[in-house]
């Protein structure tokens, strides 16, 4: 059955890849007939923000980009801005803000814009609206870091507090006679409450309100500083609802009211040359930035998405490159460890966690890298929580954005019991059994008292091990870690105050930390190499045929990346459609509305 499912999935994916290849080929032929615009003195770059940028994960088959329509990589966007900051030909940058990149990614972009402006260059922001009867925090938060903020004449500005939402499925399961049975450690480990509750429990509400208040404070503080306004005035706008263009100008939130072509014309005039064509930032990056990775001294390894159990060969050092999530990361570490030229490893973690055993396997590679004399610095993305924190705790240093969601030091386990629901349909089950635990993972019957006792005993052991590993990795007393644990999610800013992260910043900052930690001489350039190398389309197909890739996880990850209520629903329901992974270290599925 698994072979049939895998074969059908491969056939479906082959059709997608064939379609993508056709589109790509046509686009390449079209592009071949055009000469890329030259990078001349006085050039103005442009960048459109259409949603969260993708990280760079060697585990993806390309389905994510096809389904979400997003292909810009955060590292390349930030790298392009930083390169342009020292390029005398580039005079400015125009941003078109169609959607939000997410709060942590926006903070990384804001830092890059600050470095760009420090080089004597300008940044203009334009949007059709900064929230139209809905929160426009995401677009405006980035715009507030620019020299000028433009708004289309019929646009609106709406700033709000940060809010968290979560779906709860208890009543839905009751209607189909599905019984969720879960054990968790500890009170703030709210991930299974999606299935067992009708709303936030007391600890969950406390945690969410604390996060929302902290992120709202970050938003208010940064917008006020960027616009030269009092923090109280900015907070007052949250209670006013949508502001018209005139009201936004009077409030000093907007500098100019105009159209997209007018902001481009203004930028060209400021650059001193009205006749030069603008250049899209991704195109500029491809032309101007060398990214070969030759003579690299720092390795960059990505852990993106939910952490799965590690499959594949037992010897990662000798294994061929694979596509499985755990395999790719582990083999990346193995190759970076084996390369004597690599002095430090930057481990970019953007994960809500997942399998406990998978997390422990990745943590082991961090330990091995340190034992081999490599410095390991974790760069946390939008989220690095639960298993995402488990794999980070042993690094030499941890760098997170103030809005990163992290912590969630806790575990849970359980199953969905579907026996009653099947009986309602006239489907019954029977079994032969010779021991008390043979049917422990059966979805047809609830846990017995004996099974439940063992489940909770194992959960206690895993939770204690999680706390112990964090304490050892962070060089903190176990009691201190325990007080910060209990499954509670923290912002990066809160985590720094608790000692769970070392400094605040983005990937560029983590690379600087790694360089300094490794003692790389000042006269040596920083050269990054990503491990493992990206798979070719043929290698991807062969990995799928041989069962080395998790198609379901790849598609599920892509759908989860859609964001909004649909993405939250997909993530909440995903455990129903995959094999049990035993104990799970995963943060709750929450929708951040900002």
């Amino acid at each position: 059955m698994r072979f049939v499912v895998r074969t059908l999935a491969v056939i479906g994916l082959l059709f997608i890849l064939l379609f993508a290849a056709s589109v790509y080929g046509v686009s390449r032929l079209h592009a071949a007939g055009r000469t890329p615009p030259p990078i001349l003195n006085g050039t103005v770059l442009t960048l459109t923000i259409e949603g969260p940028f993708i990280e760079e994960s060697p585990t993806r088959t390309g389905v994510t980009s096809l389904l979400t329509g997003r292909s810009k990589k955060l590292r390349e966007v930030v790298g392009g801005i930083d390169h342009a900051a020292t390029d005398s030909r580039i005079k400015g940058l125009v941003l078109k803000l169609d959607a939000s990149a997410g709060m942590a990614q926006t903070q990384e972009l804001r830092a890059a814009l600050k470095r760009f402006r420090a080089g004597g260059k300008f940044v203009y922001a334009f949007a059709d609206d900064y929230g139209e009867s809905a929160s426009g925090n995401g677009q405006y938060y980035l715009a507030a870091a620019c020299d000028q903020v433009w708004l289309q004449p019929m646009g609106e500005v709406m700033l709000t507090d940060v809010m968290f939402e979560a779906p709860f499925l208890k009543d839905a399961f009751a209607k189909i006679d599905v019984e969720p049975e879960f054990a968790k450690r500890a009170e703030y480990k709210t991930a299974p409450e999606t299935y067992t509750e009708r709303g936030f429990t007391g600890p969950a509400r406390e945690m969410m309100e604390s996060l929302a208040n902290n992120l709202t404070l970050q938003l208010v503080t940064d917008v006020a500083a960027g616009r030269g306004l009092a923090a109280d005035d900015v907070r007052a706008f949250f209670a006013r609802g949508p502001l018209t263009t005139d009201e936004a100008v009077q409030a000093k939130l907007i500098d100019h009211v105009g159209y997209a072509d007018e902001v481009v014309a203004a930028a060209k005039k400021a650059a001193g040359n009205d006749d030069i064509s603008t250049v899209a930032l991704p195109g500029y990056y491809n032309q101007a930035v060398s990214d070969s990775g030759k003579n690299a001294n720092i390795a960059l390894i990505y852990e993106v998405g939910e952490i799965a159990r590690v499959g594949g060969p037992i010897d990662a050092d000798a294994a061929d490159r694979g596509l499985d999530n755990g395999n790719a990361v582990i083999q990346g570490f193995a190759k970076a460890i084996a390369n004597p030229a690599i002095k430090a490893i930057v481990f970019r973690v953007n994960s809500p966690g997942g399998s406990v055993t998978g997390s422990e396997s990745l943590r082991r590679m961090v330990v091995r890298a340190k034992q081999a004399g490599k410095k390991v610095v974790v760069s946390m993305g939008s989220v690095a929580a639960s298993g995402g924190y488990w794999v980070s705790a042993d690094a030499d240093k941890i760098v997170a954005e103030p809005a990163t969601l992290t912590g969630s030091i806790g575990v849970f386990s359980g199953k969905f019991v579907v026996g009653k629901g099947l009986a309602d349909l006239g489907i019954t089950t029977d079994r032969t059994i010779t021991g008390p635990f043979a049917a422990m993972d059966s979805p047809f019957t609830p846990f017995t008292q004996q099974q439940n006792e063992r489940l909770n005993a194992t959960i206690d052991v895993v939770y204690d091990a999680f706390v112990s590993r964090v304490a050892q990795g962070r060089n903190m007393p176990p009691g201190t870690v325990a007080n910060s644990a209990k499954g509670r999610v923290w912002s990066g800013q809160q985590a720094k105050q608790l000692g769970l992260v070392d400094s605040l910043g983005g990937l560029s900052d983590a690379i600087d930390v790694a360089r300094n930690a490794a003692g790389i001489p000042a006269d040596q350039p920083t050269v990054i190499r990503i491990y493992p190398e990206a798979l070719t389309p043929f290698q991807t197909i062969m990995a799928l045929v041989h069962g080395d890739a998790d198609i379901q996880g790849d598609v599920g990850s892509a759908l989860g990346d859609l964001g909004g209520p649909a993405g939250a629903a997909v993530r909440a329901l995903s455990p129903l459609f995959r094999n049990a992974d035993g104990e799970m270290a995963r943060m709750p599925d929450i929708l951040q509305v900002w």
Side-chain angles (χ1 to χ4, degrees):
M1 183 64 184
R2 292 180 62 188
F3 173 78
V4 173
V5 171
R6 181 182 299 143
T7 301
L8 292 174
V10 169
I11 292 172
L13 187 59
L14 285 175
F15 276 111
I16 294 175
L17 292 174
L18 180 62
F19 175 76
S22 300
V23 173
Y24 178 74
V26 171
S27 66
R28 292 292 293 175
L29 287 173
H30 179 67
R34 295 180 297 146
T35 302
I39 310 299
L40 303 175
N41 187 45
T43 293
V44 173
L45 301 176
T46 63
L47 174 65
T48 301
I49 310 293
E50 301 171 289
F53 295 101
I54 62 171
E55 298 283 351
E56 185 161 355
S57 170
T59 69
R60 296 291 174 91
T61 61
V63 174
T64 298
S65 296
L66 288 172
L67 292 181
T68 64
R70 297 197 300 269
S71 59
K72 298 188 185 79
K73 297 175 182 176
L74 180 63
R75 179 180 63 87
E76 293 179 354
V77 170
V78 172
I81 295 172
D82 282 338
H83 191 275
T86 60
D87 188 338
S88 61
R89 300 171 299 174
I90 305 300
K91 301 302 180 183
L93 170 65
V94 176
L95 302 177
K96 186 171 184 287
L97 306 175
D98 289 343
S100 168
M103 193 163 184
Q105 285 195 353
T106 300
Q107 289 177 336
E108 197 151 355
L109 292 171
R110 284 173 57 91
L113 295 182
K114 182 178 180 180
R115 296 190 292 269
F116 183 82
R117 294 175 63 191
K121 304 170 190 292
F122 64 84
V123 184
Y124 294 170
F126 170 83
D128 287 324
D129 65 83
Y130 296 98
E132 195 169 32
S133 299
S135 174
N137 292 346
Q139 294 98 306
Y140 192 80
Y141 188 38
L142 186 57
C146 300
D147 295 277
Q148 293 184 12
V149 180
W150 289 64
L151 176 63
Q152 202 245 55
M154 297 307 296
E156 298 175 354
V157 177
M158 183 172 174
L159 302 181
T160 69
D161 294 271
V162 176
M163 177 181 71
F164 287 97
E165 291 181 320
F168 293 90
L169 308 176
K170 180 176 181 178
D171 289 346
F173 285 145
K175 289 180 179 180
I176 57 175
D177 278 336
V178 172
E179 301 176 20
E181 290 195 345
F182 288 89
K184 65 174 186 175
R185 297 295 182 276
E187 61 262 37
Y188 296 99
K189 194 64 180 177
T190 60
E193 292 177 5
T194 294
Y195 320 116
T196 62
E197 303 293 335
R198 293 187 175 89
F200 289 134
T201 59
R205 184 169 299 279
E206 176 193 351
M207 176 177 70
M208 297 303 178
E209 289 179 349
S210 174
L211 278 173
N213 289 335
N214 181 264
L215 297 181
T216 299
L217 179 60
Q218 292 182 36
L219 175 66
V220 169
T221 301
D222 291 343
V223 167
R227 296 299 299 170
L229 299 171
D232 289 343
D233 291 339
V234 173
R235 188 176 287 275
F237 297 138
F238 293 1
R240 291 184 59 180
L243 302 179
T244 66
T245 52
D246 289 342
E247 291 171 332
V249 170
Q250 293 172 6
K252 298 182 180 180
L253 295 174
I254 300 298
D255 299 302
H256 298 282
V257 177
Y259 297 95
D261 59 288
E262 292 179 314
V263 68
V264 171
K268 288 183 177 181
K269 183 177 181 180
N273 196 331
D274 296 338
D275 299 325
I276 291 182
S277 300
T278 59
V279 176
L281 182 68
Y284 168 77
Y285 179 89
N286 292 334
Q287 289 187 59
V289 181
S290 174
D291 198 22
S292 65
K294 292 182 179 179
N295 302 315
N297 48 20
I298 294 180
L300 177 57
I301 301 173
Y302 283 84
E303 169 53 50
V304 177
E306 189 160 326
I307 298 172
R309 285 185 176 184
V310 174
I314 191 170
D315 189 357
D317 299 32
D320 293 331
R321 182 169 68 241
L323 189 64
D324 179 79
N325 191 33
N327 269 351
V329 178
I330 284 180
Q331 290 170 20
F333 265 99
K335 292 185 177 184
I337 291 170
N339 188 342
I342 297 297
K343 305 302 180 186
I345 297 172
V346 175
F347 189 20
R348 176 72 169 186
V349 180
N350 194 62
S351 171
S355 165
V356 164
T357 58
S359 301
E360 177 69 0
S361 295
L362 299 189
R363 185 195 70 88
R364 170 62 182 167
M365 297 308 295
V366 173
V367 173
R368 282 189 56 196
K370 292 172 63 177
Q371 291 173 343
K374 316 286 186 181
K375 295 297 182 180
V376 181
V377 176
V378 163
S379 170
M380 291 183 167
S382 297
V383 56
S386 203
Y389 192 82
W390 189 307
V391 304
S392 304
D394 279 274
D396 293 287
K397 297 290 181 181
I398 300 176
V399 182
E401 290 290 356
T404 295
L405 299 183
T406 188
S408 193
I409 301 169
V411 295
F412 68 93
S413 187
K415 65 180 181 179
F416 296 96
V417 182
V418 301
K420 288 183 179 179
L422 294 178
D424 293 340
L425 300 174
I427 302 172
T428 59
T429 60
D430 199 357
R431 65 167 61 96
T432 60
I433 189 168
T434 57
F437 295 100
M440 186 168 178
D441 65 343
S442 171
F444 303 119
T445 55
F447 291 122
T448 65
Q449 180 178 348
Q450 189 177 12
Q451 290 169 352
N452 196 54
E453 289 173 353
R454 290 307 305 159
L455 173 67
N456 279 276
T458 57
I459 287 291
D460 284 333
V461 170
V462 174
Y463 177 66
D464 290 344
F466 196 169
V467 172
S468 175
R469 280 160 172 71
V470 173
Q472 182 177 359
R474 298 298 300 161
N475 194 26
M476 297 169 63
T480 301
V481 174
N483 289 335
S484 303
K486 303 178 184 178
R488 182 159 181 166
V489 180
W490 304 100
S491 72
Q493 187 178 75
Q494 292 171 324
K496 183 177 183 301
Q497 295 170 350
L498 296 168
L500 297 177
V501 305
D502 296 290
S503 58
L504 300 178
L507 179 59
S508 299
D509 301 288
I511 291 172
D512 289 340
V513 171
R515 179 186 175 91
N516 293 333
I520 297 174
D523 58 351
Q524 280 190 21
T526 300
V527 183
I528 305 297
R529 181 171 179 177
I530 297 175
Y531 284 94
E533 300 85 354
L535 289 151
T536 66
F538 177 76
Q539 290 170 325
T540 298
I541 292 171
M542 294 307 298
L544 293 168
V545 170
H546 291 294
D548 294 330
D550 181 7
I551 303 170
Q552 175 182 304
D554 199 36
V555 175
S557 178
L559 293 175
D561 281 347
L562 289 175
V570 168
R571 291 190 297 273
L573 291 171
S574 61
L576 290 171
F577 305 102
R578 63 173 181 243
N579 294 329
D581 277 329
E583 290 82 11
M584 297 290 289
R586 182 166 55 81
M587 69 170 287
D589 291 308
I590 51 178
L591 176 62
Q592 181 178 332
V593 181
W594 73 294

